[in-house]
Amino acid sequence: YNHNKIVSYPESQSIPAWQKITGTSVGGFYNSPYPQYVASGPSLGYKSAGIYQTNQEVTSGPTPLYSTAAPGDIKYVDVDKDGAITANDRVVIGNKFFPAIQYGIRFGASIDGIECNVLLQGTADVTGYNFAANTNSVAAASWLLDRWTPTHTNASFPRLWVNYQENAQQSDYWVVNSSYMRLKNLELAYTFPRNLINGAFKSIRISLSGNNLLTVSKFRWYDPESLNINNQLGGLSNPLLKSFTAGATLQF
């Protein structure tokens, strides 16, 4: 279990309380507002409040970041209540990019020479930044097609964008649960009884094992373990491969 807190950090008193690094946990997200703390400082991003559905929502709320904001764009929270979305409304969003919990569970059973050994491995209380969806990545998959349109307003993602930046801003909208549990190894084995073995051997054991057979995670698009160096779920890292091994152990 990993629990940590930045007890004190030299920062200007003019920084809003919701942007201060002191008192937060070591986040690990690459885009720290403090360049000297890039490796482990929390990141700043906007708080999201859903997606604009109508022009009235756009014009009646705080002034958006860009004049091109329209229905289908991400709606941001006016944290400082000044009536406009500005850089001052960003908050710390990088608190859980290190897994709070990393675990492994091993168990097995045997009967009449038949063995089954299992290894489960995973993480919990951890998030990743969904970089592929945030940038309209061409290296993504068909799930990116689930975009907002006037006839598809309950989409998973905002409308596509090219010449404006409202949706591309760093925000908690793109932060996703990347906890997972993986069936890391499964081994099936059989040890022959002595009465079936030729006198040349004391024992014979044959086995078949598989690695990375199954992953359970709410993050369904890419391998949740394949975070790159920037803790981004970009999907560009090589996924873990399933592998199978057969073996025999002969004891003379």
Side-chain angles (χ1 to χ4, degrees):
Y1 179 75
N2 171 27
H3 177 73
N4 58 76
K5 182 172 69 172
I6 300 172
V7 177
S8 178
Y9 188 80
E11 51 196 336
S12 171
Q13 294 300 315
S14 64
I15 297 176
W18 55 87
Q19 293 184 354
K20 288 186 179 297
I21 195 173
T22 301
T24 65
S25 65
V26 176
F29 185 50
Y30 82 110
N31 192 17
S32 170
Y34 311 93
Q36 68 272 36
Y37 218 76
V38 166
S40 56
S43 177
L44 294 182
Y46 294 97
K47 291 179 66 175
S48 59
I51 293 177
Y52 289 119
Q53 298 295 332
T54 64
N55 283 314
Q56 183 180 3
E57 283 188 48
V58 178
T59 57
S60 63
T63 303
L65 279 167
Y66 296 92
S67 60
T68 53
D73 290 338
I74 300 173
K75 184 192 310 182
Y76 299 119
V77 176
D78 182 14
V79 177
D80 63 3
K81 308 295 184 183
D82 67 351
I85 304 301
T86 66
N88 208 45
D89 293 311
R90 294 178 301 165
V91 299
V92 173
I93 63 171
N95 276 332
K96 292 188 177 181
F97 291 114
F98 283 159
I101 299 172
Q102 300 184 64
Y103 63 88
I105 304 171
R106 184 188 297 274
F107 58 92
S110 63
I111 183 172
D112 296 333
I114 301 173
E115 298 176 51
C116 178
N117 299 299
V118 177
L119 172 62
L120 302 176
Q121 173 258 333
T123 63
D125 196 15
V126 59
T127 58
Y129 196 80
N130 198 349
F131 180 74
N134 173 262
T135 59
N136 292 335
S137 171
V138 295
S142 59
W143 51 266
L144 273 182
L145 297 176
D146 188 21
R147 297 282 181 166
W148 187 98
T149 68
T151 58
H152 183 47
T153 58
N154 62 339
S156 300
F157 302 106
R159 63 172 179 156
L160 290 170
W161 65 90
V162 177
N163 295 323
Y164 55 96
Q165 299 296 317
E166 192 77 20
N167 297 326
Q169 300 304 307
Q170 187 166 292
S171 74
D172 63 3
Y173 188 92
W174 306 106
V175 175
V176 293
N177 182 354
S178 57
S179 302
Y180 71 92
M181 182 176 69
R182 171 168 287 130
L183 178 54
K184 191 67 177 178
N185 179 266
L186 172 64
E187 181 192 45
L188 299 175
Y190 179 67
T191 301
F192 288 87
R194 291 293 298 272
N195 59 352
L196 294 181
I197 301 175
N198 187 291
F201 303 102
K202 290 184 179 180
S203 68
I204 299 176
R205 182 180 184 270
I206 58 174
S207 62
L208 176 65
S209 65
N211 292 317
N212 306 317
L213 299 181
L214 177 67
T215 301
V216 179
S217 176
K218 290 183 178 180
F219 185 75
R220 59 186 179 86
W221 299 308
Y222 296 128
D223 180 3
E225 195 176 10
S226 65
L227 292 173
N228 64 22
I229 192 171
N230 292 333
N231 281 42
Q232 298 174 350
L233 290 165
L236 303 181
S237 303
N238 292 329
L240 292 178
L241 300 178
K242 292 182 175 67
S243 62
F244 299 89
T245 305
T249 302
L250 308 177
Q251 183 177 356
F252 296 92

